[in-house]
Amino acid sequence: CLMDEPLSNLDAQLRQEMRTELRELQRRLGLTVVYVTHDQAEAMGMADQVVLLSQGRVEQCAEPQEIYRRPATTFAARFIGTPAMNIARLDGLHIAGSHASAAPAGLQQPGQARWLGVRPEDMRLSLHGDVGSGPVVAADIESLEYLGADLVLRCRVGSEQLMVRTAGSQLGGLQPGQLVGLRWAREATHFFDEQGRRCTA
């Protein structure tokens, strides 16, 4: 069964309901379905296997969880996730325009790495004076977007912009212009080469 963007003209709530119904129908009838979509929520929520295309080229073919956890290219990294994965230019071992280390303590940065990737939801805020200590990256908050359960911060580190998704309950303690610290785990760090391909250690 070939479906070419069948839900694109529906409103958001109906689109979500139809995704569930189509998935249940596919499972019940045992159909093989090729489903074309530009909507990452549809791709992630409905697919057993995602073939991610860009300009006629396959960027990655994998299960949704694999594309999210180990994107093969910067295109794949930016396609999956809301907000999209942060992709920051590197200047040697540092985030461009800063003295901030690109790798958490103990993580070896591949020599061919030119881009750092970290998902906004994997960023952790440090607010209590430890900005300059250890593996914490100093950042300036440029703007905030309150979404209820979530709070999305747009931060500046050197010449690069990093998005942070954190709990909405932290809204009261943050404001534009404030200096904060950012940290992330070793397993949340992704490196890409000059062509945007995932680096191997």
Side-chain angles (χ1 to χ4, degrees), residues 7-8 14 16-17 40 47 51 54 58 68 70 72 87 93-94 103 116 135 164-165 170 173 179 181 185 193:
L7 310 181
S8 59
L14 185 56
Q16 185 172 355
E17 292 171 0
Q40 62 160 295
V51 180
S54 174
V58 175
Y68 178 82
R70 291 182 53 82
I87 303 293
L93 300 176
H94 302 96
L116 165 71
V164 179
R165 196 176 87 193
Q170 292 198 320
L179 183 66
D193 65 17

Side-chain angles (χ1 to χ4, degrees), residues 20-161:
T20 302
E21 287 200 28
L22 285 173
R23 185 64 166 147
E24 289 176 356
L25 184 65
Q26 179 267 327
R27 285 176 175 155
R28 190 167 68 249
L29 297 178
L31 291 174
T32 297
V33 178
V34 176
Y35 190 102
V36 180
T37 182
H38 289 88
D39 185 328
Q40 62 160 295
E42 287 182 14
M44 293 292 282
M46 298 179 71
D48 297 307
Q49 193 84 356
V50 174
V51 180
L52 189 56
L53 298 170
S54 174
Q55 300 179 355
R57 186 182 69 193
V58 175
E59 293 280 333
Q60 190 167 1
C61 179
E63 295 178 353
Q65 304 94 315
E66 178 70 7
I67 294 178
Y68 178 82
R69 288 195 306 256
R70 291 182 53 82
T73 64
T74 52
F75 179 87
R78 288 182 173 125
F79 180 78
I80 299 296
T82 305
M85 180 184 282
N86 293 301
I87 303 293
R89 167 68 73 175
L90 297 177
D91 183 4
L93 300 176
H94 302 96
I95 296 172
S98 78
H99 296 293
S101 173
L107 179 62
Q108 183 68 35
Q109 179 178 321
Q112 70 271 33
R114 297 295 177 268
W115 299 95
L116 165 71
V118 184
R119 293 208 176 274
E121 55 271 27
D122 290 330
M123 294 275 194
R124 298 292 174 260
L125 289 175
S126 299
L127 304 174
H128 304 295
D130 59 348
V131 170
S133 63
V136 180
V137 173
D140 291 300
I141 297 176
E142 293 189 329
S143 65
L144 303 92
E145 185 179 7
Y146 179 67
L147 303 174
D150 292 331
L151 178 65
V152 177
L153 311 177
R154 189 181 303 273
C155 298
R156 174 70 55 183
V157 177
S159 60
E160 303 302 295
Q161 199 172 71

